[in-house]
Amino acid sequence: MSSLTHKEEVPEGGYRTPDGRIIGGVLMDLKDITLRFGGVTAISNISFDIRQGEIRAIIGPNGAGKSSMLNVISGFYVPQEGEIWFRGRKRPPLKPYQVARQGVARTFQNIALFKGMTTLDNIMTGRVTRMKSNMLEQAIWWGRAEREEVENREVVERIIDFLEIQAIRKTPVGRLPYGLQKRVELGRALAAEPDLLLLDEPMAGMNVEEKEDMSRFILDVNDEFGTTIALIEHDMGVVMDLSDRVVVMDYGRKIGDGTPDEVRNDQAVIDAYLGVVHE
Amino acid sequence: MSDTFFFAVEVAINGLMAGVMYALVALGFVLIFKASGVFNYAQGVMALFAALTLVGIQSGQIPFAHVINATFGTHLSSFGWNVPSLLAILLTMGVMVLFAILVERLVLKHLVNQEPIILFMATIGLAFFLEGLGDLMWGSEIKKLDVGLPQGISGTIENVTHEWFGYGFFIDRLDIIAAMVATVLVIALTAYSRYTKQGRALRAVADDHQAALSVGISLRFIWVLVWSIAGFVALVAGIMWGTKSGVQFSLSLIALKALPVLMLGGFTSIPGAIVGGLIIGVGEKLFEFFVGPMVGGATENWFAYVLALVFLVFRPQGLFGEKIIERV
């Protein structure tokens, strides 16, 4: 993981944020994405890009198609139309596990953890894509397999320290409170050392304190590891503080795209959130 | 001490050994159930099929000889060679892996996201299919399986126990081997699922499909892996049972004995399968010994099922199963 934060020059396609961080070129480019379920159009002709090192938010009212968008990026849905370009290459339709192997990790809105497994084991599963030893080596626990297990354990322990969840390392995650489960899920996604981290409503259902913790972790991940993050949220306030650029969706269409300040003052966005009288 | 006491102990020990054999079959069920939530009705037939294939390969039988002979009027029966036991076992394992791949390709892949009951019915179909295939490939006559495992009453144990207690225990050497094999198998499988990448992936898939996909685990690969492991366990069970009582159709019926074992031990627990097997094994032998004479014998046929019924009423998740909590 390389940090672009402290480079001096702004690379091509990049920009400088108000707080002085430097954002790189385009990491993922979504072009004219359309997704239909039968006769229902969940996403209609949406294009936007995600740049190296930025925190990109997708916001919108309930049912706007935000989660569908995230599922398209992570390969759970295959759009009927449009192209996805990742690291400068057009991506063919892939299965979710193949997308994960390309370096895209995600969390889920309703938390999809392995409930019977401990925190440590859950985060270790995040290393699956990083382990190279084959089945035979694994089965007889020989050479590479053992070395890998130790190396990966070290990475996982660092993540556990980073997220301040040492105390629950050996606890089955099914027993943890909601906020901690969300944190473990973030840890599992981080364990893959992703190029692109997708967070589906990372703060949904949290109290104020938990939200603040989560915001801090998201900023720290971006700052320390230089990880590009795309997140969905419908809490406007949180998003505006966190993100560099924001895509606004409503009824499956894109109605706004820009910095938090630009979006906040956009009439279409205000209408979508506050409602508008149709004459 | 009296001979009756020692005889009871001997009965109990033999019960333990029989229990190990039940546990071996139950283990195959637990593995697949844990990883995919499917109750694999075909597990018993898989053991039969594995044993048939092993004998067939070992004795150089030509597969489908009956079909070929009937169709073309030939008189084929054997390649005329004998394959060494170890090689034959490896080849049979290859066949079981092939079977796992075919099951995934032809059956499971098309039933993703279906109700468990649908998958269960698919495995019933699979059981009938495999039974027929086994018959067609290798013939339906009773076969003798000998891979060089020691058999018969152990003279050493009889002599030693006679010296110590003045009572010689009759214990079959094959049962002792089976107990050792089962122990090694369980330790190996537990270690595999706990400390390896695939083991962790296996548990992950069992827990949550979506989450497993999102961290880069291929469900299809894991299913092939699980069915291969179940095939391996079926092969081990097939070898043990086949050596003990010959390779024949009734081998597939031992799967029925695995059901009460699972109800006792819990469908999701590997140690549960072992303990359940042991309890049933010892229980039915001792029950036959003490109570059998009073009710005219033959209690072994129903004891296990009655015990399972009692468990279903008072502890439906079994001794080691995960407690089922339904949130309302």
Side-chain angles (χ1 to χ4, degrees), chain A residues 201-234:
Chain A
E201 305 227 3
M203 279 159 267
M206 285 186 167
N207 61 34
V208 178
E209 199 184 335
E210 287 171 331
K211 275 185 186 174
E212 277 170 4
D213 278 345
M214 189 49 96
S215 302
R216 182 164 55 84
F217 286 125
I218 292 172
L219 287 171
D220 282 354
V221 166
N222 177 255
D223 193 41
E224 280 193 32
F225 307 127
T227 310
T228 310
I229 298 173
L231 64 93
I232 287 180
E233 218 12 280
H234 62 228

Side-chain angles (χ1 to χ4, degrees), chain A residues 58-71:
Chain A
I58 305 171
I59 64 168
N62 282 328
K66 308 184 295 289
S67 280
S68 297
M69 196 70 228
L70 211 69
N71 283 329

Side-chain angles (χ1 to χ4, degrees), chain A residues 268-279:
Chain A
V269 176
I270 295 169
D271 289 348
Y273 266 86
L274 298 179
V276 65
V277 182
H278 293 280
E279 307 194 8

Side-chain angles (χ1 to χ4, degrees), chain B residues 129-150:
Chain B
F129 170 77
L130 201 57
E131 201 184 299
L133 183 72
D135 265 10
L136 274 181
M137 266 176 96
W138 308 110
S140 54
E141 67 278 5
I142 298 177
K143 298 181 184 65
K144 197 170 141 29
L145 175 62
D146 184 5
V147 289
L149 293 176

Side-chain angles (χ1 to χ4, degrees), chain B residues 3-4 48 64-65 109 114 120 138 162 170 186 207 211 225 231 238 247 270 273 275 278-279 287 308 313:
Chain B
D3 275 5
T4 327
L48 169 67
F64 299 108
K109 191 181 125 187
Q114 295 284 351
F120 172 63
W138 308 110
H162 193 81
F170 278 14
V186 169
D207 211 316
L225 183 66
V247 180
I270 291 177
V275 175
L278 294 180
I279 292 177
F287 192 78
V313 173

Side-chain angles (χ1 to χ4, degrees), chain B residues 284-315:
Chain B
E284 69 181 14
K285 289 282 189 303
L286 284 181
F287 192 78
E288 174 72 25
F289 178 66
F290 288 113
V291 185
M294 292 176 227
V295 295
T299 58
E300 277 182 70
N301 289 332
W302 53 261
F303 174 77
Y305 300 99
V306 172
L307 193 61
L309 211 60
V310 173
F311 261 80
L312 277 182
V313 173
F314 294 106
R315 202 180 157 80

Side-chain angles (χ1 to χ4, degrees), chain A residues 76 96-97 100-101 106 108 112-117 121 124-126 128-129 131 133 135 138-139 141 149 188, chain B residues 192 194-198 200-201 203-205 207-208 210-221 225:
Chain A
F76 279 84
Y97 73 90
R101 287 174 189 185
R106 68 167 294 175
F108 293 84
L113 282 169
F114 308 119
K115 298 224 167 17
M117 289 159 66
D121 271 347
M124 273 301 269
T125 58
V128 163
T129 51
M131 293 172 106
S133 57
M135 258 178 71
Q138 288 277 330
W141 192 247
E149 186 82 7
R188 189 183 60 195
Chain B
Y192 183 74
R194 197 161 293 174
Y195 301 112
T196 68
K197 173 177 81 164
Q198 276 90 17
R200 215 176 281 117
R203 282 185 291 148
V205 169
D207 211 316
D208 192 319
Q210 264 209 337
L213 281 172
S214 83
V215 294
I217 297 167
S218 157
L219 292 186
R220 298 184 56 184
F221 172 75
L225 183 66

Side-chain angles (χ1 to χ4, degrees), chain B residues 33-54:
Chain B
F33 190 79
K34 261 182 90 109
S36 50
V38 182
F39 182 80
N40 177 22
Y41 185 81
Q43 188 65 32
V45 187
M46 275 165 72
L48 169 67
F49 183 77
L52 276 173
T53 309
L54 179 57

